[in-house]
């Protein structure tokens, strides 16, 4: 089985990376902590077609599948994009094209970006409902990642808000969310590693860059190794979701568990290599580190997904 990407998929990824490098720098992520969510970058992604990646062409979308989207979501993680792109693009758009910026509780009881949502995708038992902002009550929450201002959402379901009560559709929606979050975690891990390599290359001690010391090299090599193991698992899961493989749930859980563990490990190594400055809010590292903590716990943490893999294997 070949898990490589074709030239069009790689070009799509590169275009998204260029856009996010320009329009979602650390300053934009930092501004989101104060409630200033930049709608301009979301509009640019929409114009590029990212928000309709999984929407069929007859419905006005690109008609692509998760194998193309996974690369885009990895880039969104690398940029720490504060918008709920997984909920909106990977989960909601295939069910209801044009829903806009969607906040959801499928990934956990706290709803990220609730204050900025155009719609809410909310679970009631085994059904999913699409709810207007005027029909919910928000209770803001303090969370580790202040860029995605989370809230607890109170609402009442009704036949008019029902989007689907098909158990297979709900399970697929969850798997798409977990897969997208795993891709973001790989991107976050890569960004933290890149930041740390740049830091230890310019930071000097005893007359030489601290990156020249064996202990620092070991930290970074181990971080790179964990990412190198997690990334193919995420790509494999994207292939399984796109092709409707019987192993879809198992592969998605394998990917989410490995990506969560890898991002957490890379974060620890990055923090260690940055020294005391890594703990400060003035350092960009904290933007990516705290996002990785939040996402590692969302859409099922590593332990939950390892149990799911075990059940799939009958152990």
């Amino acid at each position: 089985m070949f898990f490589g990407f074709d030239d069009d998929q790689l070009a799509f990824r590169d275009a998204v990376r260029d856009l996010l490098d320009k329009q979602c720098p650390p300053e934009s992520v930092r501004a989101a902590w104060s409630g200033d969510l930049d709608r301009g970058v979301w509009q640019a992604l929409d114009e590029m077609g990212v928000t309709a990646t999984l929407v069929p062409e007859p419905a006005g979308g690109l008609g692509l599948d998760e194998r193309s989207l996974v690369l885009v979501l990895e880039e969104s993680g690398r940029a720490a994009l504060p918008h709920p792109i997984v909920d909106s693009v990977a989960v909601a758009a295939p069910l209801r094209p044009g829903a806009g910026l969607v906040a959801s509780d499928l990934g956990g009881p706290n709803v990220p970006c609730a204050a900025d949502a155009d719609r809410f995708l909310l679970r009631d038992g085994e059904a999913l409902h699409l709810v207007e902002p005027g029909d919910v009550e928000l209770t803001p929450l303090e969370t580790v990642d202040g860029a995605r201002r989370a809230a607890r959402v109170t609402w009442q379901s009704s036949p008019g808000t029902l989007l689907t009560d098909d158990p297979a559709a709900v399970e697929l929606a969850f798997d798409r969310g977990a897969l997208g979050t795993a891709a973001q975690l790989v991107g976050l891990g890569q960004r933290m590693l890149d930041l740390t390599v740049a830091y230890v290359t310019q930071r000097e001690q005893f007359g030489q860059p601290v990156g020249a010391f064996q202990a620092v090299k070991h930290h970074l090599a181990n971080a790179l190794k964990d990412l190198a193991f997690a990334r193919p698992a995420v790509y494999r899961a994207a292939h399984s979701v796109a092709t409707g493989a019987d192993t879809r749930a198992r592969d998605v859980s394998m990917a989410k568990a490995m990506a969560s563990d890898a991002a957490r490990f890379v974060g620890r190594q990055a923090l260690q290599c940055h020294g005391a400055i890594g703990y400060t809010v003035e350092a960009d590292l904290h933007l990516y580190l705290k996002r990785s903590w939040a996402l590692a716990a969302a859409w099922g943490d590593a332990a939950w997904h390892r149990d799911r893999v075990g059940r799939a294997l009958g152990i």
Side-chain angles (χ1 to χ4, degrees):
M1 190 175 293
F2 177 64
F3 293 115
F5 297 96
D6 62 32
D7 290 343
D8 288 341
Q9 290 167 326
L10 295 174
F12 192 32
R13 177 203 62 187
D14 292 345
V16 171
R17 174 179 292 189
D18 290 344
L19 187 153
L20 292 176
D21 282 347
K22 294 173 183 172
Q23 299 200 31
C24 189
E27 292 76 15
S28 293
V29 183
R30 198 180 296 279
W33 281 64
S34 303
D36 185 14
L37 187 69
D38 181 8
R39 284 277 186 163
V41 63
W42 188 257
Q43 181 64 32
L45 289 169
D46 185 54
E47 292 172 356
M48 185 181 284
V50 168
T51 58
T53 302
L54 298 185
V55 177
E57 287 185 275
L62 298 184
L64 301 177
D65 62 33
E66 288 78 5
R67 287 169 291 196
S68 296
L69 183 60
V70 72
L71 294 174
V72 172
L73 295 179
E74 185 177 340
E75 292 304 316
S76 74
R78 177 178 170 275
L81 181 73
H83 307 68
I85 188 170
V86 169
D87 308 72
S88 303
V89 178
V91 181
L95 295 169
R96 176 69 177 273
L101 202 65
V102 177
S104 173
D105 65 356
L106 264 73
N110 300 336
V111 180
C113 298
D116 300 292
D118 300 321
R119 304 280 190 287
F120 289 88
L121 183 65
L122 301 170
R123 188 165 187 163
D124 182 23
E126 298 302 317
L128 291 179
H129 292 254
L130 195 64
V131 185
E132 298 293 327
D135 295 328
V136 302
E137 181 179 337
L138 304 181
T139 304
L141 299 169
E142 287 191 20
T143 58
V144 66
D145 179 11
R148 303 188 317 150
R149 296 176 302 145
R152 193 171 297 279
V153 178
T154 305
W155 64 292
Q156 289 291 328
S157 63
S158 72
T161 61
L162 179 64
L163 189 60
T164 179
D165 56 2
D166 178 357
V170 175
E171 185 178 16
L172 176 58
F174 175 82
D175 280 344
R176 282 175 170 152
L179 168 66
T181 305
Q184 288 190 309
L185 283 163
V186 170
L188 282 161
Q190 187 63 56
R191 185 59 171 265
M192 290 189 287
L193 181 57
D194 293 344
L195 281 172
T196 307
V197 170
Y199 179 75
V200 301
T201 301
Q202 60 86 25
R203 172 82 165 90
E204 292 190 357
Q205 198 168 41
F206 306 117
Q208 59 182 327
V210 296
F213 297 119
Q214 191 85 347
V216 174
K217 290 179 180 178
H218 283 172
H219 282 312
L220 299 180
N222 288 332
L224 178 62
K225 179 260 298 175
D226 274 26
L227 280 177
F229 276 100
R231 183 176 278 113
V234 174
Y235 295 165
R236 162 58 193 258
H239 179 84
S240 296
V241 175
T243 59
D246 293 340
T247 57
R248 185 193 77 204
R250 183 201 68 188
D251 297 340
V252 167
S253 283
M254 183 78 75
K256 180 60 168 64
M258 292 183 69
S260 297
D261 287 345
R264 282 187 173 276
F265 181 77
V266 174
R268 288 197 297 272
Q269 308 315 304
L271 197 56
Q272 180 75 20
C273 292
H274 271 77
I277 194 174
Y279 288 96
T280 67
V281 296
E282 288 79 7
D284 288 343
L285 176 64
H286 95 99
L287 301 172
Y288 309 96
L289 185 63
K290 291 172 181 173
R291 178 67 55 77
S292 72
W293 294 345
L295 295 187
W299 295 92
D301 62 13
W304 188 90
H305 281 285
R306 277 194 289 269
D307 286 344
R308 195 185 188 206
V309 172
R311 292 194 299 273
L313 296 175
I315 56 178

